Amino acid sequence: MEFKQRTVFCGTLRKSDVGTEVTLNGWVQKRRDLGGVIFVDLRDRTGLVQVVLNPEFNASAHEIGDKVRTEYVISVKGKVVERDAETVNPNMLTGEIEVQVDEIEIINAAKTPPFFIEDGVEVDEQVRLKYRYLDLRRPEMYKTLQMRHKVTKIIRDYLDSREFLEVETPILTKSTPEGARDYLVPSRVSPGEFFALPQSPQLFKQLLMVAGYERYFQIARCFRDEDLRADRQPEFTQVDIETSFLNMEELLSMMEGMMKLVCKEVLGVEVETPFQRLTYADAMNRYGSDKPDLRFGMELVDIGDIAENCGFQVFSSVIKKGNQVKGINVKGCAHYSRKDVDELMKFAARYGAKGLAWMAFKDDEIKGPIAKFFSEEEVSQIKDRMQVEDNDLILFVADKAKVVADSLGALRLKFGKELGLIDESKFAFAWVVDFPLLEWDEDAKRYVALHHPFTRPRPEDVELFDSEPGQIRAQAYDMVLNGYEIGGGSMRIYKRDVQEKMFKALGFSQEEAQEQFGFLLDAFEYGTPPHGGMAFGLDRIVMILANRTSLRDTIAFPKTASARDIMTDAPGTVDTKQLEELSIRVSMPKKETK
Amino acid sequence: MEFKQRTVFCGTLRKSDVGTEVTLNGWVQKRRDLGGVIFVDLRDRTGLVQVVLNPEFNASAHEIGDKVRTEYVISVKGKVVERDAETVNPNMLTGEIEVQVDEIEIINAAKTPPFFIEDGVEVDEQVRLKYRYLDLRRPEMYKTLQMRHKVTKIIRDYLDSREFLEVETPILTKSTPEGARDYLVPSRVSPGEFFALPQSPQLFKQLLMVAGYERYFQIARCFRDEDLRADRQPEFTQVDIETSFLNMEELLSMMEGMMKLVCKEVLGVEVETPFQRLTYADAMNRYGSDKPDLRFGMELVDIGDIAENCGFQVFSSVIKKGNQVKGINVKGCAHYSRKDVDELMKFAARYGAKGLAWMAFKDDEIKGPIAKFFSEEEVSQIKDRMQVEDNDLILFVADKAKVVADSLGALRLKFGKELGLIDESKFAFAWVVDFPLLEWDEDAKRYVALHHPFTRPRPEDVELFDSEPGQIRAQAYDMVLNGYEIGGGSMRIYKRDVQEKMFKALGFSQEEAQEQFGFLLDAFEYGTPPHGGMAFGLDRIVMILANRTSLRDTIAFPKTASARDIMTDAPGTVDTKQLEELSIRVSMPKKETK
């Protein structure tokens, strides 16, 4: 070999190693010269250790050590020695020892990196992404990707031990008319035709059930060409699962067991099962969200019955129109100023609220402009229902159900964070169930599927297809963790008559259904087992478990919000010849044409 | 639940279960009516079991059973009973018992499938692919995909236990000028620009080494838009591996351990390690191939020294031009007719051979038109060197080294198969090493990299850069199994001076190098560790282990030779609107324009 290979990893050395000869390979984190002695913090993926080049101990090693700079790759050989009491570093796992170097070799030099390789570094993310290979050196990035590896390993082992098969499904597949925008891939062999990258392996996993595979999973790359928000990536990873002959309870319990194991193995956290369950209606009513953060209370309280006949015209008229008046109790915040409340109003307005009514209870006094419209009994009813104590501030929104839910739900989350109501050590899992099967689309004047047209209704609701399709509850479920939807799925329709009712409710003719879902419907003719499954967002799960705030921190080589990889500078232009072979031409948008 | 759920799997029932009540869910493999009693072979992914509907036992169950047809999905409840001695089926694992049905439910009906769901079915592959969900029901398909799952599980566990991290790298990446043809993905956000699907994660895995990740792997999807041969797929799966600070021996030994474990766990086969090693030169000389099938002998024998001065003008002139004369000994085939040999000549001609000289040894007689040109001593030398016995046929090719290797190598494989010389139970692993670093490109009049421009030369050969670049041996290696290359890789250059020598040998200026490999060269400036790795073809490994002849049988949803998925009918046309959003237009090839 062209250099002396390590005998041990830097971060693993301890007091018990004192006296041993070791060789280390790694990167120079820091180099200091103190009174002619050179101290190097040497880093590998396990951590740091201090190595010392003392000219009195070895002059030639010291001479080489003098040339060493930050991020050089070096090999050192020496003896592990105990540090003097006063130089022990209690903040380093290896802080009780150091390595007295006898031989040193520069394996590779390095230019000064554009930012320090350390946690919590304050660097523009564009720079971090351009030099991603340096950003990834930072211990918190390594630990996050290590955790990601561990999470996928645990999931794979769990599913394997339950007889699931991991099956790879195509990346070059067919464009589907429903759903988000597809990424397209022009075909060279079939000019004018295109593959699409999959938004999920949904069709293929259902076909594997038709094929009798019974238990399928895949850690699958999926693609959506959407305008990116902070927490979206054009390519993302899904833990994709489908099973046959299981009922919903069996599937949900299996999935709970999986997440319980992940939390235990990765974080040492014991999560209780079965998870709490909320119906969709409950979640919206109580938390104003279909992915409620259950780590704290501050539930939305309906005071519609009290508001209906109260003297405050705004409230009573809203109720008469069939809308809602609900409030939240912001404990101990009666001291909020008029200006504070104005800010909250602006915040609520972003979610569509036209106003924010409030009452503050302080020293048996009620502040707030609407107080005077309520009788003593009405106030007492409100206080009772909302568990108001002295110093509490209550906020009301009176509007359509959606606006009430969105604005109060958002306020609730805002207070949860800002008032420190959230127990950050908690992992509050829940299932949200009983989603409506169909949603009325006011523009199209027809029902559309809330999940997809193969979602199975609850058997007792099937009869509602003819009377009240909007009331049918789906056998669909989302797994929620700390206010994020981390997974979702459904049992699928496998009975022909139910499928026909569904298509009819969606206003599809037999021909239209065939056109849109052709080969899947064909497949369903050949003996389809009862089946259902779900999909988890792996990037998001890792983000939550690793306590990161961006999905980009969970992906080794992510894209920016404008869907670019600024390290490799992708996408880029290509040769005309390449396009010719694919029978396509670039046709720039009109605005930019000269 | 809407049907009675299974208590046990079909294929697992045995004599020891006799007397138990079971519920089974599965597909009807076969239904026979024998004297009013209905016999159904019921199938799930574990196998088959016979269930019996006897009207005397339960009339209403028999009535429903009468409606059941092939591939119906049913649920049956009944008692496991022993079969009569004369009806025991020794070919079925469940052949000693049957289930006497008390309750039956049709979960789903099925149309008659276009082919029987059974192994070895003789159906046009187009039909199998169109109805892939039915094809996948065949036990041999299920077993192959189950094996694929197992192989990847073993590989993942092996690498995980050796501290490798699985890291996902992008699918939407940058088009690279070198290598095969890229699949392109137009960017919507950056009009006129394109992503490319990766041909391998090569650049990213090297960057992960620069990032200090030390041990990376990924079961990675890769893409090549090449004209497909029978054993190619546009998307394929690679076990991609890279390590830092290891030397080549350590890496190879780790990889051997991995394949040894796969063979043991999947097939129960003990493979000996370390694997045999052949230099590239040896492999070409002795087997005419850089991926020799070592399950049998019939090595190529060089008789150039004998041929040089022999009376057969064709041979001696070839040698005088610096080319080769080599032969193989086809044991016991001296009886081949003139016609047989003509056929062999045609075969050899496909590999560029202009002729095939032969001698047959039978009863101390030498047949063949060239025999007369050789002296008795020369014949005796040949016989000696080629270990000729009575009844042997020897075949010679005299030509350039490449033609000799290609044609005799192909003949050797042909005989190996046709004469049954190959021990099919053998797993003959080997490493082919010492590949040349550089190859002379006669067209471009320059050296090109045999692997890629970052392949590390053997340290003792570095000095040859200035004198004989073509003689430099690379630290590159292929893993070969039974005549297939199943993996390959190299140690990479990490020293700047070596990299510069390499670029110089390839005729690249500093600027050209920067243009082609920009960000990777930039990354290399920031402290690159010594690193190297390899990549295995997962599809091919599964094909060999499962004893299948087509890669398509190892992939759940493969493409045809014209890169189509005929089940989903991908690729397909898309809406003009989609293309507009991507700023591209279809521009059909000239020939097809009206």
Side-chain angles (χ1 to χ4, degrees), chain A residues 5-6 45 108 136-137 148-149 160 163 168 174 194 210 213-214 237 245 250 494 528 568 572, chain B residues 5-6 45 108 136-137 148-149 160 163 168 174 194 210 213-214 237 245 250 494 528 568 572:
Chain A
Q5 283 181 273
R6 73 158 62 92
R45 66 176 190 167
N108 234 337
L136 289 170
R137 279 186 192 166
R148 185 181 176 112
H149 165 81
D160 174 75
E163 306 289 343
E168 296 181 65
K174 195 181 169 66
F194 294 81
V210 175
Y213 280 50
E214 301 226 358
T237 302
F245 297 115
E250 290 165 316
Y494 63 97
T528 300
T568 63
Chain B
Q5 283 182 274
R6 73 157 63 93
R45 66 177 191 168
N108 234 338
L136 289 171
R137 280 187 191 165
R148 184 179 177 114
H149 166 81
D160 174 75
E163 306 289 341
E168 296 181 65
K174 196 183 168 66
F194 294 81
V210 175
Y213 281 49
E214 300 225 2
T237 303
F245 298 116
E250 290 165 317
Y494 63 97
T528 301
T568 62

Side-chain angles (χ1 to χ4, degrees), chain B residues 407-580:
Chain B
S407 55
L408 284 180
L411 279 167
R412 174 182 175 268
L413 285 182
K414 181 182 163 72
F415 289 122
K417 275 169 212 151
E418 290 177 4
L419 303 179
L421 306 178
I422 295 173
D423 177 354
E424 297 283 351
S425 73
K426 241 187 188 168
F427 288 84
F429 282 96
W431 289 108
V432 177
V433 296
D434 287 351
F435 286 88
L437 185 71
L438 300 161
E439 233 179 2
W440 182 255
D441 182 333
E442 196 49 47
D443 294 335
K445 299 282 175 212
R446 69 170 182 96
Y447 281 105
V448 292
L450 194 72
H451 282 79
H452 62 68
F454 303 104
T455 304
R456 199 191 301 173
R458 284 175 60 145
E460 65 269 36
D461 291 0
V462 170
E463 58 180 35
L464 297 172
F465 268 117
D466 299 322
S467 49
E468 296 182 275
Q471 293 301 309
I472 301 171
R473 289 163 300 172
Q475 293 193 53
Y477 31 81
D478 279 355
M479 190 188 280
V480 165
L481 168 59
N482 294 355
Y484 290 99
E485 181 212 321
I486 59 167
S490 67
M491 306 307 284
R492 328 294 181 189
I493 297 173
Y494 63 97
K495 289 276 193 194
R496 198 197 168 103
D497 57 335
V498 179
Q499 189 66 63
E500 281 170 0
K501 280 186 211 291
M502 181 70 173
F503 281 141
K504 200 177 147 208
L506 294 170
F508 289 178
S509 68
Q510 191 67 36
E511 292 70 37
E512 285 166 332
Q514 190 63 33
E515 203 175 75
Q516 277 203 44
F517 306 103
F519 68 91
L520 188 59
L521 293 180
D522 289 346
F524 283 172
E525 299 281 320
Y526 289 99
T528 301
H531 63 290
M534 66 183 293
F536 291 91
L538 179 66
D539 309 309
R540 179 158 296 158
I541 290 174
V542 174
M543 186 185 87
I544 299 170
L545 296 182
N547 200 20
R548 312 287 306 183
T549 50
S550 162
L551 289 180
R552 288 186 296 280
D553 286 344
T554 72
I555 296 170
F557 301 101
K559 306 266 188 308
T560 63
S562 54
R564 291 199 79 80
D565 176 344
I566 47 183
M567 180 185 66
T568 62
D569 197 25
T573 53
V574 296
D575 284 353
T576 317
K577 185 169 161 289
Q578 280 177 284
L579 300 183
E580 268 168 23

Side-chain angles (χ1 to χ4, degrees), chain A residues 1-3 5-6 9 25 27 45 71 73 107-112 133-134 136-137 141-142 148-149 153 156-157 160 163-164 166-172 174-175 181 183-188 190-195 204 207 210-214 218 221 223 225-227 235 237 245-247 250 456 494-495 519 523 525-530 556-557 559 563-564 567-569 571-572 578-579 581 583-589, chain B residues 1-3 5-6 9 25 27 45 71 73 107-112 133 136-137 141-142 148-149 153 156-157 160 163-164 166-172 174-175 181 183-188 190-191 193-195 204 207 210-214 218 221 223 225-227 235 237 245-247 250 456 494-495 519 523 525-530 556-557 559 563-564 567-569 571-572 578-579 581-589:
Chain A
M1 201 62 183
E2 299 152 55
F3 63 95
Q5 283 181 273
R6 73 158 62 92
F9 283 93
N25 297 160
W27 284 261
R45 66 176 190 167
E71 299 306 319
V73 186
I107 298 176
N108 234 337
K111 292 208 293 199
T112 306
Y133 43 88
L134 298 178
L136 289 170
R137 279 186 192 166
M141 291 302 290
Y142 179 76
R148 185 181 176 112
H149 165 81
K153 181 80 172 64
R156 282 200 165 94
D157 289 353
D160 174 75
E163 306 289 343
F164 282 76
E166 184 160 24
V167 180
E168 296 181 65
T169 56
I171 297 286
L172 292 170
K174 195 181 169 66
S175 183
R181 201 184 285 112
Y183 278 104
L184 297 182
V185 183
S187 162
R188 179 178 54 85
S190 308
E193 298 193 319
F194 294 81
F195 294 103
F204 292 105
L207 289 172
V210 175
Y213 280 50
E214 301 226 358
Q218 186 182 189
R221 204 72 63 84
F223 306 83
D225 187 9
E226 292 297 332
D227 294 314
E235 49 181 310
T237 302
F245 297 115
L246 293 186
N247 62 37
E250 290 165 316
R456 199 192 302 173
Y494 63 97
K495 289 276 193 192
F519 68 93
E525 300 279 320
Y526 288 99
T528 300
F557 301 101
K559 306 267 187 309
R564 290 199 79 81
M567 178 185 69
T568 63
D569 197 24
Q578 281 177 280
L579 299 183
E581 283 188 313
S583 305
I584 59 168
R585 248 191 287 183
V586 168
S587 158
M588 294 302 267
Chain B
M1 201 62 183
E2 300 154 55
F3 64 93
Q5 283 182 274
R6 73 157 63 93
F9 284 93
N25 297 159
W27 284 260
R45 66 177 191 168
E71 299 307 319
V73 186
I107 298 177
N108 234 338
K111 293 206 292 198
T112 306
Y133 43 89
L136 289 171
R137 280 187 191 165
M141 291 303 290
Y142 179 76
R148 184 179 177 114
H149 166 81
K153 180 82 173 65
R156 281 200 166 95
D157 290 351
D160 174 75
E163 306 289 341
F164 282 77
E166 184 161 22
V167 180
E168 296 181 65
T169 56
I171 297 285
L172 292 171
K174 196 183 168 66
S175 183
R181 200 185 286 112
Y183 277 104
L184 297 183
V185 183
S187 163
R188 181 178 54 86
S190 308
E193 297 193 321
F194 294 81
F195 294 102
F204 292 104
L207 289 171
V210 175
Y213 281 49
E214 300 225 2
Q218 186 183 191
R221 204 72 63 83
F223 305 85
D225 186 10
E226 292 295 335
D227 294 314
E235 49 182 309
T237 303
F245 298 116
L246 292 186
N247 64 35
E250 290 165 317
R456 199 191 301 173
Y494 63 97
K495 289 276 193 194
F519 68 91
E525 299 281 320
Y526 289 99
T528 301
F557 301 101
K559 306 266 188 308
R564 291 199 79 80
M567 180 185 66
T568 62
D569 197 25
Q578 280 177 284
L579 300 183
E581 284 190 313
L582 299 174
S583 306
I584 59 168
R585 247 191 290 182
V586 169
S587 158
M588 296 300 271

